[in-house]
Amino acid sequence: MWRRDLESVALRVAGRQGKKNCVLVGGLAVSAYGFVRATGDIGFVARVPLPEVKSRLESHGIPVTLKRGRLLDGDFSFVMATVSGVRVDVLPELVPLDWSRAIELA
């Protein structure tokens, strides 16, 4: 898979959430800093509740699943989607983030 394919999917999903409501995480975020990290999926952390993430994506024709985690097992809920053949996971804010320090990528 080409990096530009991942980038275009990431931009599409982020655009549906709003720039201030999500941050890119995982391998694609690391590669944005110039480090090589093979990844075939895209991860985001959402600032808004997961049901709202689900609703926003669905309203733009992106089919999603809200995966319910079992907190007692140390698991958490997240939104999972497939966009143009690319898996996208949108996670809740599991630890406090300083959203003012997020960097917008070109």
Side-chain angles (χ1 to χ4, degrees):
M1 175 164 311
W2 297 99
R3 178 180 169 160
R4 78 182 116 193
D5 295 336
L6 291 174
E7 290 174 358
S8 68
V9 170
L11 288 169
R12 181 176 172 198
V13 172
R16 300 320 184 256
Q17 294 303 310
K19 292 179 182 180
K20 304 292 184 192
N21 292 323
C22 64
V23 291
L24 184 65
V25 296
L28 192 56
V30 170
S31 70
Y33 283 96
F35 297 96
V36 176
R37 170 122 188 266
T39 186
D41 64 349
I42 300 170
F44 287 98
V45 170
R47 190 178 203 172
V48 298
L50 293 179
E52 188 173 334
V53 169
K54 182 178 183 293
S55 176
R56 287 179 182 190
L57 292 176
E58 286 176 333
S59 73
H60 287 92
I62 299 172
V64 300
T65 303
L66 179 55
K67 297 287 193 174
R68 300 267 181 208
R70 291 178 43 116
L71 290 177
L72 294 178
D73 292 336
D75 203 3
F76 53 87
S77 298
F78 66 98
V79 170
M80 183 176 75
T82 301
V83 180
S84 299
V86 177
R87 178 168 168 173
V88 178
D89 293 332
V90 183
L91 312 173
E93 186 176 346
L94 298 171
V95 297
L97 298 177
D98 182 354
W99 289 86
S100 67
R101 296 189 68 195
I103 300 167
E104 186 171 337
L105 298 173

